[in-house]
Amino acid sequence: MTMIGTLSPVVGAVRWRMVALLFFATTINYLDRQVIGILKPFIATDLGWSEADYGYIVTAFQIAYALGLLMAGRLLDAVGTRVGYAWAVAVWSLAGVAHAVAAGVTSFALARFVLGLGEAANFPAAVKAVAEWFPKKERALATGVFNAGSTVGAIVAPALVAGLTVAFGWPWAFIVTGGLGFVWLLAWWLLYRHPAQHPALSEGEARYIRQDDEPSSDTPVRWSSLLGYRQTIGICLTRFISDWVWWFMLFWVPDFLSKTYGVNLKEVVLPLIVIYAVSSVGGIGGGWLSSWLISRGHSVDYARKTAVLVCALLVLPLMAIDRIQQLWPVVAVLALAAAGHQGWAANMFTIISDVFPKRVVAQVTGLSGFFGALGGALSASFVGIILEQTNNYFLLFFIASTMYVLNWLIIKLCIPRIDPISIKSPTR
């Protein structure tokens, strides 16, 4: 809280309670999706999956995630954050539990497909909630805090999943993690409201939140209209070429460590905890860095782009990972790269709310997420096939290492200055 206090006067803390809800939802979101990556070597042996089979299962999730993101933004803008988020968590929690009764590639792919549809709404909903609850100077930090839930979920998952699997068998790992979403649903429904309707929000904090509000409008906007802005193109392109790197870290790093360094299900827990703990720090730190730069008098444009560049540099060492022979130096490189991705993500989500009106923030987040998931879907099958043919991770890590510097260049080109824009092409 000291860090937060250095960025703003003490005007109340209700908005940070809302971020806590977003954080826990994101934690559960990533906990649910991470289970299969941790158990992949175990389930593949049990059910006889090939590398390509696993790639197809991951692809099913990614395709559904992409489709869900196209629908999520419009749903959230239509029914509001509170109702839309609740429906999404209910769907993905049911799908998570359903993995426990899956018995083959087809049934696992179906469960992953439904999981992807539900989980797609998490980030559009969370980004929309941050735009509703925070002034611009705090949004990157707030985004970094809730986005840290993705790495906390990944941190908790190895120990929880390994413990449940060893004690009760792998189906119980899906049952328990899927069930956590229903606990969150109760807290969400009781505690979350829009700022205009929240009974605990003081007038002072409400004014603080609204300090840079733009005029509101309920007019819907076409996707084709949004894609007419180069800012949208830039954000979508960066998501397309980089989101797959994070999916790769989630779904294949446990297998990489197992095959390359011989770590088993129990031994992989500590390296994964270290990787995702560091990435959590990177996510919050990346958001804090741009917010700190703004508090020091720099422009939003300078602050966001500087933070994105710093995060990109953290990923570059991945290109040398094949030259490292020992486990823990490799873990360190992976941890830095994961931190770089999460810091990049915190700022990219915030750039959307910096540039676009609040009424389309969820829609743009969903649209850009669609392109990110599409890139992930294409890469998942590609990764599976490449590994089956070569049994080597070097090329994949080399490509991943270059993506974020390329992203920084795309943002510089497509968003010469990060400033609010007006959306001029409503649907009639």
Side-chain angles (χ1 to χ4, degrees), residues 108 159 174 180 220 233 268 308 358 409:
F108 260 94
F174 291 106
L180 292 174
I233 296 296
V268 80
V308 167
K358 288 183 183 180
L409 294 173

Side-chain angles (χ1 to χ4, degrees), residues 18 32 48 61 92 103 124 205-206 247 274 288 298-299 308 346 410:
M18 300 304 106
D32 287 346
F61 174 89
W92 93 53
E205 188 171 6
W247 301 120
V274 170
W288 173 84
H298 293 285
S299 68
V308 167
I410 291 170

Side-chain angles (χ1 to χ4, degrees), residues 117-425:
L117 286 177
E119 289 204 340
N122 184 78
F123 286 99
V127 172
K128 184 177 178 68
V130 166
E132 291 171 348
W133 274 93
F134 285 85
K136 288 185 178 180
K137 64 183 179 181
E138 287 185 341
R139 286 180 192 168
L141 178 57
T143 301
V145 171
F146 89 69
N147 192 46
S150 61
T151 51
V152 171
I155 291 167
V156 172
L160 179 61
V161 170
L164 289 169
T165 300
V166 171
F168 306 109
W170 61 260
W172 278 99
F174 291 106
I175 292 171
V176 172
T177 56
L180 292 174
F182 297 106
V183 178
W184 179 90
L185 269 175
L186 178 61
W188 173 258
W189 201 252
L190 291 174
L191 299 175
Y192 188 86
R193 299 290 188 278
H194 188 278
Q197 302 166 336
H198 203 290
L201 187 66
S202 69
E203 181 57 33
E205 188 171 6
R207 285 196 302 270
Y208 183 76
I209 291 167
R210 296 194 303 264
Q211 65 184 264
D212 48 20
D213 268 3
E214 71 275 348
S216 62
S217 170
D218 295 327
T219 307
V221 179
R222 295 181 189 270
W223 292 317
S224 58
S225 176
L226 292 173
L227 287 170
Y229 295 87
R230 64 178 177 177
Q231 292 90 341
T232 310
I233 296 296
I235 290 168
C236 289
L237 184 56
T238 62
R239 295 290 301 273
F240 180 79
I241 68 172
S242 295
D243 273 23
W244 74 270
V245 178
W246 183 243
W247 301 120
F248 177 62
M249 297 281 285
L250 288 177
F251 296 141
W252 269 279
V253 161
D255 186 64
F256 165 71
L257 296 177
S258 175
K259 289 183 174 177
T260 307
Y261 299 97
V263 294
N264 59 33
L265 182 62
K266 292 181 181 179
E267 293 168 340
V268 80
V269 170
L270 183 58
L272 292 180
I273 287 175
V274 170
I275 291 169
Y276 296 122
V278 174
S279 72
S280 181
V281 174
I284 296 174
W288 173 84
L289 176 60
S290 64
S291 293
W292 179 79
L293 288 170
I294 292 170
S295 75
R296 301 289 292 179
H298 293 285
S299 68
V300 171
D301 179 79
Y302 175 87
R304 305 289 191 238
K305 290 176 181 175
T306 299
V308 167
L309 178 59
V310 170
C311 293
L313 296 177
L314 294 178
V315 187
L316 281 177
L318 275 181
M319 66 175 58
I321 204 166
D322 69 311
R323 300 182 182 180
I324 305 173
Q325 303 300 318
Q326 297 182 348
L327 173 64
W328 285 105
V330 164
V331 169
V333 171
L334 291 169
L336 281 177
H341 171 89
Q342 289 297 82
W344 166 82
N347 282 281
M348 289 306 303
F349 284 133
T350 309
I351 287 171
I352 293 174
S353 62
D354 291 332
V355 172
F356 293 93
K358 288 183 183 180
R359 65 189 174 96
V360 297
V361 162
Q363 196 172 336
V364 175
T365 304
L367 184 62
S368 63
F370 165 78
F371 283 94
L374 182 61
L378 294 173
S379 69
S381 294
F382 174 78
V383 168
I385 292 170
I386 290 296
L387 289 177
E388 190 162 292
Q389 296 296 320
T390 67
N391 200 32
N392 193 308
Y393 279 88
F394 165 69
L395 180 61
L396 298 168
F397 281 120
F398 183 85
I399 295 171
S401 71
T402 65
M403 290 296 99
Y404 296 87
V405 172
L406 180 58
N407 273 337
W408 177 74
L409 294 173
I410 291 170
I411 292 300
K412 292 279 285 184
L413 178 65
C414 293
I415 312 180
R417 184 165 185 83
I418 298 173
D419 279 323
I421 63 173
S422 298
I423 302 298
K424 301 178 180 178
S425 303

